[in-house]
Amino acid sequence: GLAAESAATTVVVKAPAAPVAKNVSINGAITEGQTLTGSYTYEDANGDAENGTTYQWYRSDDAQLTNHTKIAGATSLTYVLQNEDVGKYISFEVTPKNATAPTTGVAVKQMASSMVRAMPNVQLDGSLSNYMPVVIVSNIDSGNQVKVYDTDSVTLVGSGEATGTTLTIALDALSAGVHDLHVQVTDVTGTNNLYSKVLNYSVNAIAIAPANQLSEGAGHMVVLARDGQVYTWGANWNGGIGDGTTTTHPQR
């Protein structure tokens, strides 16, 4: 017989679907005092705009999520790591939402890549030489890069790479006056900042006191100051002033 065809239906639309959170990740240095930022991609099959998505940060004893607990008040995209987080594992959870039913998608969680480290400890020691102090950085990882900049945040006065949990850096000679020394700790790539601190340091003007001891060579002078520092200047024909060169230095 003849084929019969029904009338056309209305436009076929997608069935209502809940929103989805994808590519959930955590960015930032996993060190006490640093800020972690959660990120994700929002998707909705019906094209419904994101509205009311919620966030929650968690703390666990280990990577197996032992004692996995919500962190009170940590409900934004960012979280500043606290002292109580040291030695713990941090996770970020996002629950995607919109204003059209079904409004709420499945919560998706991501754990940070490593345990939270304590804040590095930075000390400045000028006891051996006031104008050439040393910076001692502890509680860091092997491979961490440490750089020290002068007040202008541009002039590099010392740097080094840690081979253990502590690194000592002898700084270049500093001019007399007050310095704001910027200490920066980065990861092995040298690009991800783990910690930074500004140290205020004063360098005394060099002055030869009457009680200093003086020795005169054929073309140079050597002075032993009361504070134990040695100052030399002069012809330096055979490297006598001890700076590793044979360049004449007419002033101390």
Side-chain angles (χ1 to χ4, degrees):
L2 297 175
E5 184 176 342
S6 68
T9 65
T10 58
V11 176
V12 178
V13 297
K14 291 182 179 180
V20 176
K22 294 184 176 180
N23 305 317
V24 179
S25 64
I26 298 175
N27 303 303
I30 312 173
T31 304
E32 177 189 2
Q34 298 299 303
T35 300
L36 297 182
T37 301
S39 66
Y40 64 97
T41 302
Y42 172 88
E43 291 185 5
D44 185 88
N46 306 110
D48 297 323
E50 184 176 13
N51 187 335
T53 295
T54 59
Y55 316 109
Q56 179 64 57
W57 294 86
Y58 292 80
R59 181 188 298 124
S60 305
D61 290 344
D62 52 39
Q64 288 70 47
L65 302 182
T66 303
N67 292 327
H68 191 58
T69 307
K70 288 183 178 180
I71 301 175
T75 56
S76 68
L77 270 176
T78 60
Y79 174 65
V80 179
L81 293 167
Q82 307 298 312
N83 179 259
E84 54 265 35
D85 297 321
V86 174
K88 305 291 186 179
Y89 287 78
I90 301 299
S91 300
F92 169 69
E93 180 185 75
V94 54
T95 303
K97 294 184 179 182
N98 60 40
T100 305
T103 60
T104 304
V106 176
V108 181
K109 192 178 299 181
Q110 177 63 47
M111 186 175 67
S113 59
S114 64
M115 178 182 69
V116 178
R117 288 196 60 85
M119 186 181 300
N121 181 39
V122 179
Q123 294 178 312
L124 186 62
D125 184 2
S127 60
L128 295 179
S129 174
N130 174 249
Y131 69 99
M132 294 181 67
V134 296
V135 170
I136 305 167
V137 185
S138 57
N139 195 33
I140 54 179
D141 289 327
S142 179
N144 284 167
Q145 308 284 326
V146 179
K147 294 182 179 180
V148 184
Y149 296 91
D150 208 344
T151 305
D152 60 6
S153 300
V154 175
T155 304
L156 185 67
V157 293
S159 64
E161 179 177 328
T163 58
T165 58
T166 301
L167 177 65
T168 300
I169 301 173
L171 301 186
D172 296 340
L174 302 174
S175 60
V178 178
H179 295 257
D180 288 327
L181 300 175
H182 299 252
V183 182
Q184 184 181 60
V185 182
T186 61
D187 64 8
V188 67
T189 68
T191 57
N192 296 318
N193 186 47
L194 302 179
Y195 178 74
S196 59
K197 186 174 185 178
V198 178
L199 302 174
N200 185 265
Y201 185 72
S202 296
V203 178
N204 302 323
I206 298 174
I208 299 177
N212 293 332
Q213 299 180 44
L214 182 147
S215 176
E216 182 178 5
H220 69 279
M221 302 290 290
V222 180
V223 173
L224 174 62
R226 288 188 300 179
D227 61 1
Q229 298 193 72
V230 176
Y231 308 99
T232 60
W233 67 94
N236 202 25
W237 296 316
N238 298 307
I241 68 173
D243 67 345
T245 73
T246 56
T247 302
T248 296
H249 294 274
Q251 297 180 338
R252 62 178 176 82

